[in-house]
Structure formats: structure tokens, C-alpha cells
Amino acid sequence: MLFQSLAASLTYGSAALAAQLTQVSNYNNNAKAKPGMWVYVPDTVKVDALVVAIHSCQSSAQKYFANDKIPWHKGSDGKGYVTVWPSSTTECWDVSSKASLTHDGGGDSNAIANMIKYAITQYKIDPAKVFVTGGSSGAMMSNVLAATYPELITAVSLYSGVPAGCFVSSSGQAAAWNNTCSGGQSTATAQKWGDVVRNMYPGYNGTRPRMQIWHGSVDGTLAPANYQETIKQWTNVFGVPVTPTSSKPDTPDKNYRMDDFGPNVEGIWAVGVGHSVPSHLTASEAWFGL
């Protein structure tokens, strides 16, 4: 009986000490936008790396963290990196207003950049090991962050998004839906898409985050055409041809085609997959070098 009580006590104690998703109430955010910041620090931190996991529409940091199809907290436990989970105050992330589509513009992107800066200091993160991922609206924001804050991010792995700036609102409305873009009708040359990125942070000539882009061939929410437009955008930014150097089945998902555009851009075309492509932890971590 004494042994059982002791075992129960130890089990309870270890559960009480287990890592939890925790809100950061003050992350030194000077942006007008005020999304919430949540952080998960694993019980054993093994690497000085940070992954920012950005939720989709009609979600939150807590819901995204608890979603079994979103494996980043499991990756955090397994490999010992810190994860930050931004939580939007609107139904979807603001990837449409000038404030969010401009470096230090005061929008959602500015606020998430402040979360990254806070995390680097607070959790002793190597600034060269900051990675961003997200699905759907979170993928759109991942693209926007890569354009507006390239100096803060090392690599991005985004699932089922659109090109940075594609959702721009002509009225300047924040978090506006853009039917033309979502329907795959916003098409442009690679040069023009690249210019959209460059114009979000005029004068920036430093390194850019490596981009891994996933999209489903039968996506009914963000049309499959957005895959090629996003590829156009980032291949132009990196100055490489829009034609892949190689295409091959992505083991173990044989219905996934991996398009290689050199060391900085990789596309994964998920044949027969809708919206949104499930997160592939191993492949994304490999892209990040984790």
C-alpha cells in the first residue's frame, strides 16, 4: 500500500512538473496589433533553436497546439527546441493590410517579429536557428514574415498558403479575404512576385530564409495554382530558374512530388491532397536542420 501511494505521488509529481503551453503576457510588443504569445519550453532543452508555429483561420495557439495533426510540440519534446505559438485576435491572420505587409509596419507580422526577438533573448536562442511554419492562414503569414523580417528567420516550411502579398486588400482592411487570390486567379511573372517581396522591406540586401513550400493538388480553399505562383516568387527572390533542377517522389509519401530548386527553395506537390496538407514533422525538421 505504501509503495502504491509513493508511486502515485511520484506520477502526480512528474505530471505537475511536465512542460506546458504557457502564455507570455508581455513580450515587449510595440506594434499596434496585439496577438497573443504562447510558448512551449520542453522539460529538456537540447538545442538553442526556435520554431514558430502559426495557426490557421478559426483557430488559436491553444487549439493548434492541441491538434494531433500539428506535431510541433512532439518535435519540441523529441529534439529539445523551444516553440512559440502566436494567437490571432481576428478570425484569420492579417496578411492583407499595408501595416502587416511592411517591415515595422505595426501589423500582425510586426507583432510576431517582436515575439521572435523576445524569445531569442528570454530563451537564449541562437539567432541563426529561428524557423517558421504554419498552415493555411498560418502559411500565408509565414510567407509574409519571410518577406518582412528576413533578418530574423533562417528557414520556413509552410503548408497550403499563397504568395506573400497575394491577399493584399485594396481598401487597406486588415485580415481581409481575397477571393481572386484564394481562387488562384492572382497570377504574375516571377519578377513581379519577387518585387512584391522586395518592396515589403525596401533596401534590404541581407540573407533570406530558405523556403519549403507544400501544397495539395486538389486544394478547394486556396487553389492549387497558388503553389506555382509561390514558387515563382521565391525562385525569383533567390535568383534561380522557376524550372526545378529535379522532381522526384517524396519517400515515404509516393503521391508527393518533391521539386528541387537548389539549396534555398523546395516545393512539395501533394497529388490528390486537399486543404490543408498535413504537417510532415520529419521533412520540415530536416529542412530546418534540426
Side-chain angles (χ1 to χ4, degrees):
M1 183 67 70
L2 179 61
F3 176 79
Q4 289 177 336
S5 298
L6 181 59
S9 176
L10 288 172
T11 300
Y12 177 79
S14 63
L17 292 172
Q20 304 177 51
L21 183 69
T22 305
Q23 186 170 16
V24 176
S25 58
N26 180 10
Y27 55 93
N28 302 325
N29 180 29
N30 59 2
K32 183 177 180 181
K34 303 296 180 184
M37 176 182 180
W38 295 72
V39 64
Y40 182 76
V41 180
D43 288 330
T44 303
V45 176
K46 302 174 185 176
V47 293
D48 52 352
L50 174 70
V51 173
V52 182
I54 309 176
H55 68 72
S56 54
C57 289
Q58 300 175 325
S59 188
S60 65
Q62 302 97 308
K63 290 179 181 177
Y64 207 53
F65 181 85
N67 188 335
D68 288 339
K69 295 181 180 179
I70 308 302
W72 287 101
H73 68 281
K74 297 175 184 176
S76 178
D77 285 332
K79 296 198 172 179
Y81 50 79
V82 175
T83 48
V84 162
W85 305 73
S87 199
S88 178
T89 57
T90 52
E91 185 176 2
C92 299
W93 288 102
D94 175 17
V95 291
S96 59
S97 73
K98 184 176 181 180
S100 205
L101 297 177
T102 305
H103 181 79
D104 287 344
D108 279 350
S109 62
N110 196 167
I112 297 175
N114 288 334
M115 295 180 198
I116 293 172
K117 293 174 184 177
Y118 176 90
I120 288 173
T121 301
Q122 186 70 21
Y123 307 109
K124 298 179 173 59
I125 302 298
D126 182 346
K129 297 177 184 175
V130 176
F131 311 106
V132 174
T133 187
S136 191
S137 181
M140 297 187 211
M141 178 52 75
S142 298
N143 254 335
V144 167
L145 283 167
T148 51
Y149 295 93
E151 78 283 10
L152 292 179
I153 302 167
T154 306
V156 173
S157 179
L158 60 92
Y159 291 81
S160 310
V162 302
C166 187
F167 250 58
V168 64
S169 169
S170 58
S171 65
Q173 181 183 347
W177 189 261
N178 186 315
N179 286 322
T180 303
C181 180
S182 66
Q185 298 166 336
S186 293
T187 60
T189 64
Q191 179 67 38
K192 287 184 178 179
W193 277 128
D195 286 344
V196 169
V197 167
R198 288 180 283 269
N199 289 337
M200 288 189 194
Y201 191 174
Y204 180 76
N205 58 7
T207 58
R208 302 273 182 179
R210 299 166 61 245
M211 304 297 295
Q212 185 185 63
I213 299 144
W214 302 70
H215 213 106
S217 69
V218 292
D219 191 328
T221 302
L222 298 173
N226 282 300
Y227 171 77
Q228 188 59 33
E229 299 307 301
T230 307
I231 293 294
K232 285 183 191 177
Q233 183 170 66
W234 290 107
T235 50
N236 180 264
V237 169
F238 282 103
V240 297
V242 74
T243 302
T245 56
S246 66
S247 293
K248 59 185 178 182
D250 183 21
T251 305
D253 295 301
K254 295 297 186 182
N255 61 321
Y256 283 42
R257 186 191 76 218
M258 181 181 291
D259 296 333
D260 185 3
F261 301 89
N264 296 311
V265 182
E266 179 178 86
I268 298 94
W269 180 245
V271 178
V273 178
H275 187 75
S276 65
V277 177
S279 294
H280 284 60
L281 181 65
T282 301
S284 292
E285 283 183 334
W287 184 250
F288 293 160
L290 292 170

